[in-house]
Amino acid sequence: MKPFAFDYEKPATIAAALALLGEAGDDAKVLAGGQSLGPMMNMRLARPRQLVDITGIPELRQVTDDGDAVVFGACVTHATIEDGRIPDPTGGMMPDVACGIAYRAVRNRGTIGGSLVHADPAADWITTLAAIGAEVTVTGNGGQRQIAVDKLMMSTFETSLAAGELLVSIRVPKFSSDARWGYYKFCRKTGEFAEAMSAIIVDPARGKTRVAIGAIDTRPVVIADAATLVSNPESITTVIEENGLANDPYDAQVRRVSLWRAIEQVLP
């Protein structure tokens, strides 16, 4: 199957991209890598009349040090993070997560911002960056605003971006030197969609112990104060049950194992 006919534009600035999105309204889709949108268009699950390719905007590929954080442009690719060609504020966590996304061909073109806005519950960045406590900057005709990643995704394939808004950057706080992290996802085979996913950071110097449980039916479950869970892993089953993640015995088991294996990585 082939996609519906569409117009294609590749603006050189954020302002030009916003103008195109404003003109096309609901008929527009943003292309930031196309590793999900392309197949959806070919299967006619997505039928945009206007495709706005933002990968030619230099600002969206920049990475800057912002003191206590690193700011990633929305069009930074997974492979760029995986290869360590840019600063890593997370002590190896982000490169480790990036190298497990799908396949190298996908990572060469797929982008961190595109993944977040696609809002697939099984995607790696939506869970990882929610655990880290990152935030995104979005811009539109009404100006800029910041959204915490754990509030960005509303439901499957649905975000809190307003019509005409564009995600332009992701601000990731720097881990302290003694911070520890864990990440574990379960897939039936490499490159397939995750069936269970958990991420955890323990950063005593910043007073942060956060857990995110992803690959569920909606946005990740985030436990902002997970110190008790880390000190008492026997409570994993209770956490899974209390958050409504134990309705199916198989799903409950792989989620328990995923969470335990992530926690194992941060234990002394």
Side-chain angles (χ1 to χ4, degrees):
M1 188 177 288
K2 299 298 181 183
F4 266 34
F6 60 89
D7 294 325
Y8 172 86
E9 297 284 350
K10 191 173 184 178
T13 66
I14 291 175
L18 291 175
L20 287 166
L21 292 174
E23 291 170 6
D26 293 340
D27 286 331
K29 284 285 187 182
V30 174
L31 179 70
Q35 299 307 287
S36 297
L37 180 59
M40 291 178 70
M41 289 175 63
N42 280 338
M43 291 186 287
R44 299 195 177 186
L45 297 174
R47 304 183 183 189
R49 298 292 184 182
Q50 174 77 68
L51 203 59
V52 181
D53 184 348
I54 62 172
T55 58
I57 302 175
E59 183 179 345
L60 300 185
R61 290 190 177 275
Q62 293 178 353
V63 179
T64 58
D65 191 307
D66 191 30
D68 61 350
V70 171
V71 179
F72 296 80
C75 289
V76 171
T77 65
H78 312 315
T80 300
I81 298 170
E82 174 186 7
D83 294 345
R85 288 178 267 155
I86 53 177
D88 170 27
T90 64
M93 185 179 191
M94 289 182 68
D96 184 78
V97 170
C99 75
I101 296 174
Y103 304 97
R104 179 68 188 199
V106 171
R107 300 195 293 272
N108 284 338
R109 296 187 63 86
T111 62
I112 186 170
S115 177
L116 289 173
V117 173
H118 184 53
D120 185 337
D124 298 70
W125 289 129
I126 198 79
T127 295
T128 301
L129 295 173
I132 289 173
E135 67 177 17
V136 301
T137 295
V138 302
T139 188
N141 293 325
Q144 286 194 342
R145 63 190 180 106
Q146 282 69 46
I147 308 171
V149 169
D150 59 4
K151 305 298 183 185
L152 175 66
M153 179 179 174
M154 303 302 293
S155 185
T156 302
F157 305 131
E158 181 184 357
T159 72
S160 55
L161 267 66
E165 284 189 321
L166 183 68
L167 189 153
V168 295
S169 65
I170 303 96
R171 188 176 189 275
V172 181
K174 292 179 180 178
F175 289 8
S176 304
S177 59
D178 60 346
R180 306 187 304 279
W181 56 267
Y183 183 77
Y184 186 87
K185 70 174 178 177
F186 171 74
C187 307
R188 289 180 181 260
K189 71 174 186 177
T190 300
E192 287 196 346
F193 291 107
E195 295 188 33
M197 180 187 304
S198 298
I200 180 171
I201 65 159
V202 178
D203 194 345
R206 296 192 302 127
K208 301 288 186 181
T209 301
R210 290 173 60 93
V211 163
I213 305 168
I216 56 180
D217 293 334
T218 183
R219 68 185 185 187
V221 170
V222 176
I223 304 172
D225 183 2
T228 301
L229 177 60
V230 174
S231 63
N232 180 29
E234 291 80 7
S235 63
I236 287 174
T237 296
T238 302
V239 168
I240 296 297
E241 291 175 351
E242 288 181 346
N243 284 283
L245 304 178
N247 295 330
D248 177 85
Y250 172 80
D251 289 344
Q253 178 62 10
V254 294
R255 288 164 182 161
R256 282 193 293 265
V257 171
S258 171
L259 184 51
W260 164 242
R261 291 185 179 177
I263 290 173
E264 266 189 316
Q265 298 171 40
V266 303
L267 294 177

